[in-house]
Amino acid sequence: MPPAAQGHQTLSAYISSRFDEFSRSQKDVAQYVVDHLDEVAFHTAEELARRASTSSSTVVRFSQALGFEGFPELQEAAREEYRHLHRAADPTNGQKSAEPLFSLDQSAFESAVAADHVNVEETARKVSRSQVDAAIEAIATHEKVLIAGTDQMAFFASYLRHLLMLLDVRAEIAASPSQEALSRLGRIDGDTLVIGLSAGRPHPLVVRAMKIARHRKAATLAIVDATLSEVSKLADRTLYYSSNSPAFVRSHVGLLSILQALAYGVYARDAAQYDDRIRAFRLK
């Protein structure tokens, strides 16, 4: 039965409650619908399928699995929820809408920059201060940190390691299924903090790292762009970033913002201790 028939549950909540019932490919669609409602409300089934890395027939089957006749009915439910969210945030409710960065006839460049601007704001709204504080505490106090991120996430895993090493935090990365990376997974123990980075469907190596960490009672932190991510389900705590983009790749400005803010949070715990070390690297 679709959420409209239930009368009290939003589309996002309804999809989340039934997530485990879907097939693997349908889960990709479900994650995208929940995390990118504004795009789902106005894109075609073909465009949604492309952005969720699946087929349009899977989008239709997903819609029917929810109890809708097809994708148009699912899209109408998404539009209704999108309109409801915008009504809740209109100026009469005490919230002032921001002026657009560019004119309506945006170039491709301007569209991408405008999307990044929104992503940083959305990321800031979604993160919990208590989760951030706990993540910073875990990074600063654990003897070892292992950052797992493959493919495009490998760059960000390496960058976070670089930031932490500047603060004398012992950090390693697992960025590919190489023998060296697998041996690092084998050294995970109770004194390790495992940080899993994921965009969209998580790489099996990242999932494996989180499962090993859970089995060995190691602390875990997930930094993901999908609230229903398998990496998030295996983690002690999760930081979510928004990655909407009109381009052919996801936006990573929200992720970069989180990583730099986490490193700065560790630094701010005892700035005096780190200042001499930072100056030595001529970073300021």
Side-chain angles (χ1 to χ4, degrees):
M1 181 182 297
Q6 302 195 9
H8 65 278
Q9 196 173 30
T10 66
L11 176 63
S12 299
Y14 183 67
I15 293 173
S16 298
S17 69
R18 295 192 52 192
F19 185 74
D20 291 336
E21 302 175 22
F22 303 134
S23 67
R24 183 180 179 88
S25 58
Q26 288 175 348
K27 285 180 178 178
D28 291 337
V29 181
Q31 286 183 352
Y32 201 89
V33 171
V34 170
D35 294 323
H36 307 271
L37 188 68
D38 53 338
E39 295 185 13
V40 176
F42 302 103
H43 282 318
T44 64
E46 289 74 16
E47 179 64 15
L48 174 58
R50 185 183 71 80
R51 290 175 178 262
S53 302
T54 187
S55 65
S56 56
S57 60
T58 298
V59 172
V60 174
R61 287 195 296 271
F62 169 73
S63 304
Q64 294 170 341
L66 288 175
F68 295 105
E69 290 186 13
F71 176 71
E73 290 74 24
L74 168 63
Q75 187 175 57
E76 181 55 36
R79 287 176 178 172
E80 181 56 35
E81 185 171 336
Y82 179 78
R83 286 192 290 265
H84 174 75
L85 292 173
H86 276 256
R87 284 196 298 267
D90 70 24
T92 61
N93 289 333
Q95 298 186 25
K96 189 174 182 180
S97 59
E99 289 294 324
L101 286 177
F102 305 107
S103 61
L104 292 178
D105 57 336
Q106 296 177 1
S107 66
F109 172 86
E110 290 170 341
S111 296
V113 172
D116 282 347
H117 179 266
V118 172
N119 282 328
V120 172
E121 184 176 22
E122 185 68 13
T123 297
R125 293 183 187 281
K126 294 239 180 176
V127 293
S128 158
R129 177 175 289 189
S130 61
Q131 290 282 65
V132 169
D133 289 344
I136 292 171
E137 177 72 15
I139 293 172
T141 58
H142 274 80
E143 182 179 325
K144 297 178 293 182
V145 176
L146 175 66
I147 308 160
T150 61
D151 301 327
Q152 56 189 323
M153 293 292 102
F155 166 81
F156 296 98
S158 179
Y159 182 60
L160 178 57
R161 175 183 179 273
H162 168 72
L163 294 177
L164 296 181
M165 293 291 281
L166 291 174
L167 302 175
D168 204 24
V169 175
R170 180 183 171 192
E172 295 183 324
I173 62 172
S176 66
S178 63
Q179 190 61 41
E180 183 179 4
L182 294 177
S183 67
R184 287 172 181 165
L185 298 189
R187 294 195 295 270
I188 294 174
D189 57 26
D191 295 323
T192 307
L193 168 66
V194 177
I195 302 176
L197 306 182
S198 176
R201 180 184 293 177
H203 191 279
L205 179 71
V206 180
V207 175
R208 182 176 180 181
M210 302 301 276
K211 287 183 176 179
I212 292 174
R214 170 175 281 195
H215 177 70
R216 298 182 181 177
K217 304 188 184 310
T220 49
L221 168 65
I223 304 178
V224 301
D225 70 342
T227 53
L228 301 176
S229 171
E230 186 177 0
V231 176
S232 176
K233 292 181 179 180
L234 293 168
D236 299 329
R237 54 188 61 87
T238 298
L239 299 180
Y240 169 87
Y241 68 94
S242 178
S243 63
N244 290 334
S245 175
F248 55 89
V249 293
R250 297 172 186 266
S251 167
H252 295 307
V253 296
L255 171 60
L256 184 61
S257 179
I258 284 181
L259 299 185
Q260 294 189 152
L262 286 175
Y264 180 68
V266 174
Y267 166 85
R269 283 167 53 92
D270 192 348
Q273 171 191 341
Y274 296 120
D275 275 343
D276 289 342
R277 184 177 178 86
I278 295 300
R279 289 194 191 97
F281 283 98
R282 302 178 185 275
L283 295 179
K284 284 193 173 182

